[in-house]
């Protein structure tokens, strides 16, 4: 899509995030560890909405909400309260959702993101971050449009959610995706959120083109999905306008499989929900908690990135990559306590991260001590770069210790005289390549180095092989 086609695009997001690292639900003591549990095993009269049951607010959820709000640069309101949002749906046993409306816990924040090319850094305003309960989950037998019946699982009912609402400040699907990535990054640093769990984040996107009404695309469950759904909507709305028709205000559903949005219903307006204050929960004053919570805020990714650049002198690319994951950043700091930080950063980002991703593993699968040992062996010239990579791969695939693997696989760099004799052998065998080299073909030297590496089974230092070859070739010049 060219930059031209993005003109006039207006996007706002409503993001539902589960505070899924807490121990219990928002209004009862049911646990959140239901992901591998049978359906309807994490329920009680409160989250099933049985008559006579009463909610008790989870204090930790409120504190987490304040933490997130502060990290999004929001203002905490002096008084906050819950409302009932009334609507009927089978996943909502009470017939209403307990949420916030007037007096949300926080308002008026922002996150800065890298804008599209030429736009520089853009501040995306956040209208509010508020608390609410998650509904249950409908399970359709087969596909949603063909199933004979639908089951309902209330394990998710009452999970603490934050709803984060942006102003319509985003200007392209790519910006939306960047915003979501940044949000997830911050939530993970705050340690309130595990983005890998099913249903951890759901995105609703409002999108319009200049001169048209907005459509809302509901329940997009991945970042990639958000970008695709928005790109599809832009094309669809542009075509509607081009035909001289009007874009109607409506709610649409994103079909991940087909990559299209389909109309669900015309949009409800707020009064359809008959919001009123939840009479079973009193208004709260939380300002007294704020200073102490501020103290507990960890260093956020942006600040950490700046510190990495300044304190360790590593490249911007390495610093960005390391601060995408708080565990990886910590791993880097631990390794750097013993090993040159630039070397550490480059091995962690350029080698280890790739090997972990390839195996779908997190950095916790690798021991700090092992990384320090491997990089020590490499810097001391005991193993070549290739040897060090082999050690990393072996640890991940088979286990073992760096020292053990080096001796078992005979990875220790070969002695100088072995390289010299390999050079001799190669020079006596590859006369064609020697001729090519003398005719000035640079590639021929690479080929010869490769042959030396082959003879030493990768245990020669390529630089030694290269130097050895050049010395011999130039002294034998006829
Ligand atoms: Zn419960
Ligand atoms: Mn909501």
């Amino acid at each position: 899509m060219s930059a031209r086609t993005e003109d006039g695009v207006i996007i706002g997001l409503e993001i539902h995030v589960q505070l899924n690292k807490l121990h219990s639900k928002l209004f009862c003591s049911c646990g959140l560890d239901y992901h591998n549990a049978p359906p309807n095993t994490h329920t009680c009269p409160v989250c099933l909405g049985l008559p006579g049951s009463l909610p008790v607010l989870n204090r930790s959820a409120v504190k987490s909400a304040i933490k997130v709000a502060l990290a999004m640069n929001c203002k905490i309101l002096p008084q906050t309260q819950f409302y009932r949002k009334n609507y009927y749906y089978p996943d909502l046993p009470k017939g209403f959702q307990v949420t916030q409306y007037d007096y949300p816990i926080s308002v008026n924040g922002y996150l800065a993101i890298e804008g599209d090319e030429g736009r520089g850094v853009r501040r995306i305003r956040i209208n509010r971050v508020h608390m609410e309960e998650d509904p249950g989950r409908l399970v359709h037998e087969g596909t949603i449009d063909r199933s004979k019946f639908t089951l309902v699982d209330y394990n998710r009912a009452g999970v603490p959610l934050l709803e984060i609402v942006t102003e319509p400040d985003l200007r392209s699907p790519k910006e939306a995706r960047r915003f979501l990535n940044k949000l997830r990054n911050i939530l993970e640093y705050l340690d309130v959120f595990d983005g890998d769990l099913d249903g951890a984040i759901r995105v609703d996107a409002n999108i319009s083109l200049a001169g048209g009404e907005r459509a809302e695309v509901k329940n997009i469950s991945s970042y990639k999905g958000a970008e695709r759904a928005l790109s599809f909507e832009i094309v669809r709305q542009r075509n509607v306008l081009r035909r001289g028709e009007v874009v109607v205000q409506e709610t649409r559903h994103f079909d991940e499989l087909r990559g299209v949005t389909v109309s669900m219903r015309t949009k409800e307006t707020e009064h359809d929900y008959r919001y009123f204050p939840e009479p079973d929960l009193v208004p709260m004053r939380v300002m007294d908690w704020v200073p102490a919570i501020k103290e507990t805020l960890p260093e956020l990714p942006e600040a950490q990135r700046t510190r990495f650049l300044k304190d360790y002198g590593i490249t911007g690319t390495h610093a960005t990559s390391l601060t995408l994951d708080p565990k990886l950043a910590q791993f880097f700091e631990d390794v750097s306590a013993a090993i040159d930080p630039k070397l550490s950063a480059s091995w962690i980002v350029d080698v280890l991260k790739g090997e972990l991703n390839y195996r779908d593993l997190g950095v916790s699968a690798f021991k700090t001590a092992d990384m320090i040992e491997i990089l020590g062996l490499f810097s001391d010239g005991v193993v070549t770069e290739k040897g060090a990579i082999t050690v990393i791969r072996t640890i991940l695939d088979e286990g073992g210790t760096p020292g053990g693997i080096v001796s078992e696989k005979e990875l220790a760099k070969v002695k100088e005289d072995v390289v010299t004799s390999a050079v001799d052998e190669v020079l006596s065998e590859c006369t064609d390549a020697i001729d090519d080299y003398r005719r000035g073909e640079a590639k021929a030297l690479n080929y010869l180095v490769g042959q030396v590496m082959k003879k030493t089974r990768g245990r020669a230092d390529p630089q030694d092989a290269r130097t050895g070859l050049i010395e011999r070739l130039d002294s034998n010049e006829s």
Side-chain angles (χ1 to χ4, degrees), residues 241-258:
L241 293 173
R242 198 171 285 147
R243 287 196 299 269
E245 295 164 13
V246 288
V247 176
V248 292
Q249 188 178 343
E250 63 178 346
T251 300
R252 299 179 69 86
H253 161 79
F254 179 56
D255 183 332
E256 297 246 31
L257 281 180
R258 292 189 294 151

Side-chain angles (χ1 to χ4, degrees), residues 382-413:
V382 178
V383 293
T384 61
E385 181 176 307
K386 192 168 167 239
I389 293 173
T390 305
V391 176
I392 291 175
R393 288 181 178 158
T394 308
I395 289 178
L396 287 170
D397 292 334
E398 299 159 28
T401 63
I405 294 165
V406 168
S407 59
E408 229 167 80
K409 300 211 167 208
E410 299 177 0
L411 292 172
K413 234 196 252 182

Side-chain angles (χ1 to χ4, degrees), residues 258-270:
R258 292 189 294 151
V260 301
T261 68
V262 286
S263 181
M264 276 165 76
R265 56 177 185 254
T266 51
K267 170 81 179 148
E268 307 83 351
T269 49
E270 287 195 339

Side-chain angles (χ1 to χ4, degrees), residues 25 27-31 42-48 154-155 157-158:
K25 293 187 180 179
F27 300 120
C28 61
S29 55
C30 291
H42 287 55
T43 57
C44 72
V46 173
C47 54
L48 289 175
Y154 291 114
N155 282 348

Side-chain angles (χ1 to χ4, degrees), residues 176-447:
R177 184 168 177 179
R178 243 174 268 136
F179 179 88
L180 291 168
N181 282 335
K182 173 135 192 192
L183 175 66
R184 174 174 173 160
N185 191 207
I186 291 174
L187 292 170
E188 290 187 335
Y189 265 70
L190 294 174
D191 201 26
V192 296
F193 174 72
D194 178 353
D196 291 334
L197 288 177
D198 192 36
I201 192 161
R202 275 112 60 197
V203 180
D204 300 342
N206 284 298
I207 173 162
S208 64
L209 301 183
E213 283 287 344
R214 69 198 165 102
E216 183 178 23
V217 186
K218 278 273 188 200
N219 271 320
I220 309 163
S221 58
S222 70
Y223 302 111
K224 217 194 267 168
E227 191 180 336
R228 282 171 64 218
L230 289 167
S231 297
F232 177 86
E233 262 304 293
I234 290 172
V235 174
R236 186 190 71 84
Q237 294 186 17
R238 188 158 280 133
N239 287 339
V240 170
L241 293 173
R242 198 171 285 147
R243 287 196 299 269
E245 295 164 13
V246 288
V247 176
V248 292
Q249 188 178 343
E250 63 178 346
T251 300
R252 299 179 69 86
H253 161 79
F254 179 56
D255 183 332
E256 297 246 31
L257 281 180
R258 292 189 294 151
V260 301
T261 68
V262 286
S263 181
M264 276 165 76
R265 56 177 185 254
T266 51
K267 170 81 179 148
E268 307 83 351
T269 49
E270 287 195 339
H271 66 252
D272 291 326
Y273 291 120
R274 299 164 352 264
Y275 281 97
F276 64 87
E278 162 65 69
D280 292 336
L281 292 161
V282 293
M284 293 178 285
R285 299 205 169 134
V286 296
M287 289 311 268
D288 289 352
W289 293 358
V290 174
I293 293 173
K294 247 183 203 156
E295 292 287 299
T296 70
L297 280 186
E299 182 180 40
L300 292 176
E302 233 168 52
Q304 189 174 52
R305 182 180 182 278
T306 311
R307 180 169 63 82
F308 280 8
L309 291 175
K310 193 169 141 279
D311 290 2
Y312 297 116
I314 62 177
T315 67
T317 319
H318 284 159
T320 300
S321 188
L322 289 168
T323 53
L324 284 178
D325 172 1
K327 291 199 193 89
L328 195 69
Q330 187 59 52
F331 185 84
F332 162 72
E333 294 214 79
D334 294 343
V335 173
S336 292
I339 301 286
D340 171 57
K342 287 185 192 130
L343 185 75
S344 308
S346 138
W347 275 85
I348 292 170
V349 174
D350 303 333
V351 180
L352 180 65
K353 202 174 170 181
E355 297 294 335
L356 289 167
N357 286 348
Y358 175 70
R359 292 165 180 79
D360 215 2
L361 293 171
V363 70
S364 48
F366 212 83
K367 288 197 199 106
T368 312
D370 285 352
M371 197 66 193
I372 291 172
E373 193 178 340
I374 294 166
L375 294 183
L377 291 169
F378 173 70
S379 348
D380 294 347
V382 178
V383 293
T384 61
E385 181 176 307
K386 192 168 167 239
I389 293 173
T390 305
V391 176
I392 291 175
R393 288 181 178 158
T394 308
I395 289 178
L396 287 170
D397 292 334
E398 299 159 28
T401 63
I405 294 165
V406 168
S407 59
E408 229 167 80
K409 300 211 167 208
E410 299 177 0
L411 292 172
K413 234 196 252 182
V414 292
K415 302 239 162 41
E416 209 176 320
D417 52 339
V418 180
V419 179
T420 314
S421 63
V423 166
D424 285 343
E425 272 178 56
V426 167
L427 289 179
S428 65
E429 287 164 12
C430 307
T431 45
D432 285 356
I434 297 170
D435 291 344
D436 289 346
Y437 173 78
R438 297 219 159 112
R439 271 199 304 276
E441 275 187 42
K443 267 197 225 145
L445 184 61
N446 290 339
Y447 172 77

